[in-house]
Amino acid sequence: MNGPGTKRNMAVAPRGTFAVEIMMRPVFAVFLIGAALFAEPPGTSEPKDPVSILHEKIQKGEEKFAFHQELGYLPAILKALKIPESSQGLVFSKTSLQLHRIHPQAPRAIYFNDDVYVGYVAGGDLIEIASVDPDKGSIFYVIEQEPTAKPVFSKRDDCLQCHQSQKTFDVPGLLLRSVWTLPNGYPDFKHGGGFFGDDTAPMKHRWGGWYVSGVIENDVHMGNFLLRGIPEEADLSRTSNITDLDKLVNTNRYLTPHSDIVALMALQHQVQVHNLITRANIGSRTALEQNAAVAEMFELKPGQWTESTKRRVNTVTEALVQALLFQDEYELKGKITGTASFVEEFQKLGPFDSKGRSVRQFDLNTRMLKYPCSWLIYSEAFDALLPEVREIIYSRMYELLNTDAKRETLEILLETKPSFKAAVQKIQQAAVNR
């Protein structure tokens, strides 16, 4: 299930997919459906993701939602959930529920923050939303584009027919993929199923079916390109450095004229890590519940794990650590520059250490981040991991970060992530006592 060039996928368990867009419904595309390895996440109850919380406030009258004449509920949703307009990415492939409205002259817009992904089609009947629950993973909703006093976010479990498959590690997750796209907007599956990957994948395999605004030095990507022949003859250099998308599509129907390349890089990384956090959460909880069930049979001591349990937990935690720390990240061949205000807005979010450093600060010359560590380490989803599982992750992270080359990233985490600092102190004290 992994695409070419994904080095990290070869070293550890498979790591997510890079798809033509975040797809919210089973009819969005013809993707294979894998058998689910995990059932309902153990130990969970009602959803507590950002959209379910917002929906409850609306129904209680605690939150008022304005309806925009042209954009419907889009501005209200972004404002209520604190999703920046600068995160906008435009997708022109026909791979969505409302595919009859989507084509290269009418792309679909994706907006996101650390917990929520919003899909908007100009003139569409629905807004589609994926919201990450700390325990359950991605939960999918739609809201009808009709003015009403109390709009309803309707939960769509049928989305899991595609969004809980091998491509999402068999947990409720998100899909991204890059495909060759024809001038009519349909993916060209005749020449392969596209590219699956993560931030180890080469740029030349990214963003097929997306508009991409920005400059990429000494490299190319599949964005902005319409396939009129065969992929082997594609000249991606003609479409890889476009800063004004109005030359390709009328952007007046959207909140901004951008589909910022840096925002798309952040989106690609974040989707993969969200899926891996969910897998680590559900997979480890399942393994430990099963471990408890056989504890008496194997005469286990309290807290003792079977070898099978250790392997299962280590598999899901190691894959997550590799993703969190950008191990084997694709090395940029030159500077990348976006066109929107995404970089500035994203970097302001912090948290910052006493030296003003943050893992949200970009490099964009040889790698994405200046201090390579995923910002999702601060997310509620990550904090929902079992304490003993987080300790395994922290121990491995400390092992990888405790070098001169990565010292600054380690220092930032020690100052801004209290649970990480506590775990490291425990590791250091154990070393002294040995």
Side-chain angles (χ1 to χ4, degrees):
M1 290 302 170
N2 304 300
T6 54
K7 298 178 182 178
R8 191 181 303 125
N9 293 346
M10 301 173 188
V12 297
R15 170 119 192 264
T17 57
F18 183 54
V20 77
E21 65 177 292
I22 299 175
M23 295 170 290
M24 311 295 184
R25 289 278 312 261
V27 294
F28 277 15
V30 290
F31 297 103
L32 297 175
I33 301 174
L37 295 179
F38 306 113
E40 177 72 8
T44 63
S45 54
E46 291 300 312
K48 48 187 177 183
D49 63 285
V51 171
S52 66
I53 294 171
L54 174 60
H55 174 78
E56 186 175 350
K57 289 182 178 180
I58 292 173
Q59 302 313 307
K60 289 180 178 179
E62 298 173 0
E63 182 92 29
K64 301 296 182 182
F65 248 42
F67 187 85
H68 190 278
Q69 185 175 357
E70 295 179 1
L71 301 169
Y73 288 114
L74 178 63
I77 291 172
L78 299 187
K79 181 179 179 181
L81 295 172
K82 298 180 180 179
I83 300 174
E85 294 180 5
S86 62
S87 68
Q88 177 179 283
L90 298 177
V91 189
F92 57 76
S93 61
K94 288 180 176 290
T95 49
S96 149
L97 168 64
Q98 303 175 76
L99 59 85
H100 62 289
R101 298 182 182 274
I102 300 171
H103 55 79
Q105 291 306 307
R108 181 172 182 250
I110 302 292
Y111 304 88
F112 69 97
N113 63 10
D114 289 5
D115 306 293
V116 183
Y117 305 82
V118 176
Y120 165 79
V121 177
D125 303 319
L126 303 167
I127 292 179
E128 304 149 81
I129 305 168
S131 182
V132 179
D133 181 274
D135 291 323
K136 297 176 179 290
S138 298
I139 300 179
F140 302 91
Y141 301 87
V142 297
I143 183 172
E144 294 186 0
Q145 288 280 56
E146 292 290 339
T148 180
K150 294 181 178 180
V152 174
F153 290 90
S154 301
K155 189 167 176 280
R156 301 301 296 259
D157 290 332
D158 57 343
C159 299
L160 296 179
Q161 293 181 55
C162 284
H163 286 273
Q164 188 167 350
S165 71
Q166 288 180 326
K167 293 181 176 66
T168 66
F169 310 114
D170 297 296
V171 297
L174 300 156
L175 290 170
L176 278 90
R177 194 172 95 186
S178 176
V179 298
W180 298 106
T181 306
L182 301 172
N184 60 10
Y186 284 98
D188 178 42
F189 291 114
K190 183 171 62 175
H191 293 100
F195 297 99
F196 298 87
D198 50 32
D199 45 51
T200 69
M203 285 290 170
K204 66 180 180 180
H205 292 162
R206 303 188 193 189
W207 305 312
W210 294 76
Y211 284 119
V212 181
S213 59
V215 175
I216 176 172
E217 293 183 354
N218 307 317
D219 214 337
V220 295
H221 56 71
M222 290 171 61
N224 307 319
F225 186 84
L226 296 174
L227 185 67
R228 292 182 170 86
I230 60 175
E232 290 75 14
E233 297 177 354
D235 182 6
L236 299 179
S237 63
R238 295 187 299 103
T239 52
S240 291
N241 286 281
I242 294 177
T243 57
D244 183 3
L245 294 181
D246 283 320
K247 296 177 181 178
L248 303 177
V249 61
N250 182 2
T251 61
N252 290 332
R253 302 179 73 187
Y254 304 91
L255 291 172
T256 83
H258 309 286
S259 186
D260 187 89
I261 188 171
V262 182
L264 294 179
M265 291 176 70
L267 174 65
Q268 172 188 351
H269 166 78
Q270 182 172 296
V271 164
Q272 309 304 319
V273 176
H274 265 148
N275 289 347
L276 286 167
I277 290 175
T278 300
R279 184 177 74 153
N281 191 351
I282 297 176
S284 61
R285 288 176 187 272
T286 302
L288 293 183
E289 286 195 3
Q290 293 174 354
N291 188 86
V294 300
E296 185 175 349
M297 182 189 307
F298 288 95
E299 299 181 347
L300 301 179
K301 299 176 182 178
Q304 184 180 358
W305 295 357
T306 66
E307 289 303 313
S308 174
T309 298
K310 291 178 183 178
R311 286 195 298 270
R312 292 168 65 185
V313 172
N314 285 338
T315 294
V316 296
T317 55
E318 179 63 19
L320 177 54
V321 168
Q322 295 285 315
L324 287 170
L325 297 183
F326 291 80
Q327 295 293 104
D328 295 318
E329 177 186 10
Y330 176 72
E331 185 175 353
L332 303 182
K333 298 179 180 179
K335 186 176 182 180
I336 289 182
T337 307
T339 59
S341 57
F342 179 81
V343 169
E344 293 78 10
E345 294 175 19
F346 184 86
Q347 291 184 145
K348 288 179 181 178
L349 296 175
F352 300 93
D353 70 2
S354 57
K355 295 182 179 179
R357 299 173 299 188
S358 165
V359 299
R360 288 184 184 267
Q361 291 172 330
F362 288 104
D363 175 84
L364 300 177
N365 289 292
T366 60
R367 59 195 184 197
M368 186 166 86
L369 298 179
K370 185 175 182 180
Y371 309 108
C373 177
S374 178
W375 52 92
L376 290 186
I377 197 169
Y378 302 108
S379 67
E380 289 187 27
F382 182 86
D383 287 339
L385 292 167
L386 293 171
E388 56 267 46
V389 174
R390 283 205 313 271
E391 284 201 8
I392 293 172
I393 293 170
Y394 285 154
S395 177
R396 182 71 172 119
M397 289 179 65
Y398 178 62
E399 179 184 350
L400 293 172
L401 291 173
N402 193 24
T403 66
D404 290 340
K406 299 180 179 180
R407 182 73 58 189
E408 288 187 285
T409 303
L410 176 61
E411 291 173 352
I412 293 169
L413 292 176
L414 287 172
E415 232 185 288
T416 60
K417 188 68 178 174
S419 59
F420 177 74
K421 180 178 180 179
V424 170
Q425 289 175 334
K426 185 176 179 180
I427 294 169
Q428 293 173 334
Q429 187 59 50
V432 171
N433 294 338
R434 281 200 293 269

CSV table of all heavy atoms in Angstrom, one decimal, residues 331-336 363-368:
chain,number,residue,atom,x,y,z
A,331,GLU,N,14.8,15.1,1.4
A,331,GLU,CA,15.7,16.3,1.5
A,331,GLU,C,15.3,17.2,0.4
A,331,GLU,O,15.4,16.9,-0.8
A,331,GLU,CB,17.2,15.9,1.4
A,331,GLU,CG,18.1,17.1,1.6
A,331,GLU,CD,19.5,16.7,1.7
A,331,GLU,OE1,19.8,15.5,1.7
A,331,GLU,OE2,20.4,17.6,1.7
A,332,LEU,N,15.0,18.5,0.7
A,332,LEU,CA,14.6,19.4,-0.3
A,332,LEU,C,15.8,19.8,-1.1
A,332,LEU,O,16.9,19.9,-0.6
A,332,LEU,CB,14.0,20.7,0.4
A,332,LEU,CG,12.8,20.5,1.3
A,332,LEU,CD1,12.3,21.8,1.8
A,332,LEU,CD2,11.7,19.8,0.5
A,333,LYS,N,15.6,20.1,-2.4
A,333,LYS,CA,16.7,20.4,-3.3
A,333,LYS,C,17.0,21.9,-3.4
A,333,LYS,O,17.9,22.3,-4.0
A,333,LYS,CB,16.4,19.8,-4.7
A,333,LYS,CG,16.3,18.3,-4.7
A,333,LYS,CD,16.0,17.8,-6.1
A,333,LYS,CE,15.9,16.3,-6.1
A,333,LYS,NZ,15.6,15.8,-7.5
A,334,GLY,N,16.1,22.7,-2.8
A,334,GLY,CA,16.2,24.1,-2.8
A,334,GLY,C,15.1,24.8,-2.0
A,334,GLY,O,14.3,24.1,-1.4
A,335,LYS,N,15.1,26.1,-2.0
A,335,LYS,CA,14.1,26.8,-1.1
A,335,LYS,C,12.7,26.6,-1.6
A,335,LYS,O,12.4,26.6,-2.9
A,335,LYS,CB,14.5,28.3,-1.1
A,335,LYS,CG,13.6,29.1,-0.1
A,335,LYS,CD,14.1,30.5,-0.1
A,335,LYS,CE,13.3,31.3,0.9
A,335,LYS,NZ,13.7,32.7,1.0
A,336,ILE,N,11.8,26.5,-0.7
A,336,ILE,CA,10.3,26.4,-1.0
A,336,ILE,C,9.7,27.7,-0.4
A,336,ILE,O,9.9,28.0,0.7
A,336,ILE,CB,9.7,25.2,-0.5
A,336,ILE,CG1,10.1,23.9,-1.3
A,336,ILE,CG2,8.2,25.3,-0.5
A,336,ILE,CD1,9.5,22.6,-0.9
A,363,ASP,N,11.8,25.5,8.1
A,363,ASP,CA,13.1,25.7,7.5
A,363,ASP,C,12.9,26.0,6.0
A,363,ASP,O,13.3,27.0,5.5
A,363,ASP,CB,14.0,24.4,7.7
A,363,ASP,CG,15.3,24.5,7.0
A,363,ASP,OD1,16.2,25.1,7.5
A,363,ASP,OD2,15.4,24.0,5.8
A,364,LEU,N,12.4,25.0,5.3
A,364,LEU,CA,12.0,25.1,3.9
A,364,LEU,C,13.1,25.3,2.9
A,364,LEU,O,13.0,25.8,1.8
A,364,LEU,CB,10.9,26.2,3.7
A,364,LEU,CG,9.6,26.1,4.5
A,364,LEU,CD1,8.7,27.3,4.3
A,364,LEU,CD2,8.9,24.8,4.1
A,365,ASN,N,14.3,25.0,3.4
A,365,ASN,CA,15.5,25.0,2.5
A,365,ASN,C,16.0,23.6,2.2
A,365,ASN,O,16.2,23.2,1.1
A,365,ASN,CB,16.6,25.9,3.1
A,365,ASN,CG,16.3,27.3,3.1
A,365,ASN,OD1,16.2,27.9,2.0
A,365,ASN,ND2,16.0,27.9,4.3
A,366,THR,N,16.2,22.8,3.3
A,366,THR,CA,16.6,21.4,3.1
A,366,THR,C,15.6,20.5,3.7
A,366,THR,O,15.6,19.3,3.4
A,366,THR,CB,18.0,21.2,3.8
A,366,THR,OG1,17.9,21.5,5.2
A,366,THR,CG2,19.1,22.1,3.2
A,367,ARG,N,14.7,21.0,4.5
A,367,ARG,CA,13.7,20.1,5.1
A,367,ARG,C,12.5,21.0,5.5
A,367,ARG,O,12.6,22.3,5.4
A,367,ARG,CB,14.2,19.5,6.4
A,367,ARG,CG,14.7,20.4,7.4
A,367,ARG,CD,15.6,19.7,8.5
A,367,ARG,NE,16.0,20.6,9.6
A,367,ARG,CZ,17.0,20.4,10.4
A,367,ARG,NH1,17.7,19.2,10.3
A,367,ARG,NH2,17.3,21.2,11.4
A,368,MET,N,11.4,20.4,5.9
A,368,MET,CA,10.2,21.2,6.2
A,368,MET,C,10.4,22.1,7.5
A,368,MET,O,10.2,23.3,7.4
A,368,MET,CB,9.0,20.4,6.3
A,368,MET,CG,7.7,21.2,6.5
A,368,MET,SD,6.2,20.2,6.2
A,368,MET,CE,5.9,19.6,7.8
